[in-house]
Amino acid sequence: MKSISKKIILTGSFCVGKTSLISRFVYQRFPFNYQTTLGVRIDKKLVETGDVNVNMIIWDIGGEQTQARVPESYYLGSSGVIYVFDLSRPSSFYNMANDVEFIRKKLPKSPIIIVGNKVDLLDERTLEEVKSILPIEPDFYTSARVGNNVEDVFLKLAQAMI
Amino acid sequence: MNEKSLFEQLQYILLEQDRKRNRQMADKVEDIQSEVSDLKEEVQEIKEDVSGLKEGLEDPEKFEQKVDPYVKNRITDLKVNFQHYFGHEVKETIKTELEHSRDDFIEALYPIIGQVVRRYVKYSFDGFLENVNHRMSSAFSPKRWANRVRAVFAGVSGDELLIQESIAQAKIEEAFVIHMDSGLLIGSYSSNNTTDLDMIAGMLTAIKSFVKDAFQAKDQGELETIEYGNYRILINHFHKYYVATVLSGMVDAKLKERLDVHFMEFSKKHIPDTIGDIDDRLFSSVSNKLKKSIQDFEKSTK
Ligand SMILES: Nc1nc2c(ncn2[C@@H]2O[C@H](COP(=O)(O)OP(=O)(O)OP(=O)(O)O)[C@@H](O)[C@H]2O)c(=O)[nH]1
Ligand SMILES: [Mg+2]
């Protein structure tokens, strides 16, 4: 089957679980101890979408409080974006509307998937409360720890890119 | 007494004056006449000269023959005494010119000098590094001692053997053709079946852009080499992609230059002008050509 290479980036504030989501997706592992990502880390995984295989080259970008602080070159040539925030930490999503707008301007042709992570930390009531104050409704609620929806995030992005 | 009438006397006196004048006049006329005849002769001579000159002017060859000796004389004189005649003026002119257009001069010379200096420093530095690397590795490696032993049998000095070996060792371990913006791999070659070439390509791209950002490369400079352990990565930039070559062993400036030329040719021949989707078809076609081209290169260096 035909396979096609695509660069994607995971971005968002620090400590929201970007590295953990990738680790879960690529290695089926969840690292408990937090090691902040310095600069950028690169992984890859082949995602089968049915018609085409997507050879995903995944750029895990060190978290920044605002996207404006992410080095310009990390966005370059990226065909897709996963924007991650932490459902249990409001400061990680307050600025989300601006961030997403910023990325859209940088990469007008690339799909952006918005992900609220660490859903396992919230009970149902709290989750409803958080949902009501979110500036943008995310595409997925995930848990890197438990594994909820993680595959789906990457699969949806793969489909959106081809 | 011969009495002359007063009238006569008076007339005489008067005539005496006239006669004198007449004589003077006659003399003068004579003078003038002789002068005129002299002038006539001169005019004749001048006429002849002029007609000679005219002839010379109408016939350049003759003119040259006539003028040449004078001109030659003058030129040799100028040659010998130029400094003396004009030295001061020339010096002053240059001085004021330089002072007035100092900025122009600097502007005109700066890029050239800058490049020359940069090149020079770069090459000297490379040479220095090579030297140091060589000394370090030979001073500390057990190989040096092994070489000493072998050298006794081979009849050459241990260091010589070491140098010969390290030159022979220069080898292309890996090569990548990498999309400039995305860092995606367009084609690759590996002499030891390294996996994760995709990720290496991405990392190289990230490092490259980090360096560019960090140093705010004003002069559009690009990262050209990365060194790690015993490896050296050479980077050749093209418009939409770059080629990174991982080499082991001693890489000298000459090899670098040859690789530059080699990849320039390779790029012209084998990489499409517009790169759309980077799919497995493009990847395997570029990779196959890359493999062949590197094998050819290695053969030609042996
Ligand atoms: N409970 C829970 N903890 C999580 C989840 N995902 C990540 N974490 C934890 O959150 C911390 C940060 O995770 P990382 O994946 O390193 O976060 P990051 O976004 O990569 O952080 P930076 O690299 O600093 O930007 C770690 O201690 C993880 O164990 C999750 O889904 N649930
Ligand atoms: Mg991280």
Side-chain angles (χ1 to χ4, degrees), chain B residues 97-228:
Chain B
E97 252 327 283
L98 273 173
E99 263 159 22
H100 279 289
S101 32
R102 211 163 153 258
D103 289 345
D104 291 345
F105 273 102
I106 291 175
E107 212 155 289
L109 287 177
Y110 190 78
I112 301 167
I113 292 175
Q115 264 173 11
V116 170
V117 169
R118 221 172 44 185
R119 278 243 141 138
Y120 178 75
V121 170
K122 197 169 157 294
Y123 279 105
S124 311
F125 193 66
D126 279 357
F128 169 74
L129 270 184
E130 270 166 28
N131 217 339
V132 169
N133 280 344
H134 174 65
R135 272 156 195 256
M136 296 278 279
S137 63
S138 62
F140 295 118
S141 81
K143 220 176 177 182
R144 184 192 176 102
W145 302 103
N147 272 329
R148 289 236 161 128
V149 178
R150 281 170 52 206
V152 173
F153 296 101
V156 288
S157 84
D159 283 347
E160 227 172 279
L161 204 69
L162 195 73
I163 292 171
Q164 280 169 9
E165 269 186 1
S166 47
I167 288 170
Q169 265 169 16
K171 182 186 172 213
I172 298 177
E173 300 287 345
E174 249 110 30
F176 307 83
V177 181
I178 301 170
H179 192 237
M180 192 73 86
D181 286 350
S182 62
L184 293 175
L185 201 55
I186 299 171
S188 68
Y189 161 86
S190 173
S191 68
N192 18 248
N193 295 315
T194 309
T195 51
D196 296 339
L197 294 173
D198 281 316
M199 277 149 69
I200 295 172
M203 273 146 73
L204 282 175
T205 308
I207 291 168
K208 237 166 58 68
S209 57
F210 169 77
V211 171
K212 205 168 176 171
D213 287 348
F215 297 101
Q216 295 274 309
K218 287 180 211 109
D219 54 351
Q220 303 245 298
E222 288 274 8
L223 186 64
E224 280 173 1
T225 52
I226 301 171
E227 272 171 65
Y228 71 100

Side-chain angles (χ1 to χ4, degrees), chain A residues 38-100:
Chain A
L38 294 172
V40 62
R41 249 196 39 172
I42 294 163
D43 267 298
K44 76 159 182 172
K45 175 150 174 164
L46 199 72
V47 182
E48 297 173 13
T49 66
D51 315 325
V52 199
N53 290 337
V54 178
N55 179 29
M56 252 190 199
I57 309 298
I58 305 165
W59 289 48
D60 174 9
I61 296 174
E64 291 288 355
Q65 220 123 25
T66 81
Q67 286 300 298
R69 289 171 58 176
V70 171
E72 180 95 34
S73 52
Y74 292 169
Y75 294 107
L76 280 179
S78 182
S79 299
V81 181
I82 298 174
Y83 181 85
V84 186
F85 66 92
D86 180 346
L87 287 163
S88 70
R89 200 177 102 229
S91 73
S92 77
F93 55 75
Y94 280 154
N95 199 30
M96 165 169 150
N98 281 336
D99 271 359
V100 172

Side-chain angles (χ1 to χ4, degrees), chain A residues 9-37:
Chain A
I9 59 176
L10 268 86
T11 189
S13 186
F14 59 91
C15 200
V16 297
K18 299 178 293 294
T19 304
S20 303
L21 285 165
I22 295 167
S23 176
R24 166 65 67 195
F25 177 58
V26 178
Y27 306 103
Q28 290 81 45
R29 272 202 311 258
F30 175 71
F32 277 90
N33 55 332
Y34 170 46
Q35 258 195 323
T36 188
T37 306

Side-chain angles (χ1 to χ4, degrees), chain B residues 229-293:
Chain B
N230 296 320
Y231 297 100
R232 187 186 278 214
I233 304 174
L234 299 186
I235 296 176
N236 289 90
H237 292 93
F238 298 93
H239 183 46
K240 288 277 178 200
Y241 54 90
Y242 65 96
V243 179
T245 322
V246 182
L247 294 136
S248 61
M250 193 63 88
V251 181
D252 58 7
K254 209 166 144 196
L255 181 70
K256 250 191 209 176
E257 224 175 275
R258 296 197 49 214
L259 268 176
D260 278 1
V261 175
H262 186 79
F263 283 122
M264 197 93 89
E265 292 279 296
F266 175 80
S267 142
K268 234 190 295 173
K269 265 192 227 156
H270 299 305
I271 303 192
D273 289 336
T274 48
I275 297 166
D277 277 347
I278 299 173
D279 54 19
D280 42 359
R281 252 181 53 201
L282 176 70
F283 179 80
S284 56
S285 113
V286 172
S287 296
N288 286 337
K289 285 164 188 158
L290 187 64
K291 185 174 176 185
K292 183 158 184 322
S293 136

Side-chain angles (χ1 to χ4, degrees), chain B residues 42-60:
Chain B
E42 269 182 52
V43 166
Q44 188 53 41
E45 272 170 33
I46 289 172
K47 256 188 183 166
E48 274 164 21
D49 277 354
V50 166
S51 80
L53 274 177
K54 221 169 136 194
E55 233 176 61
L57 276 175
E58 272 158 10
D59 181 348

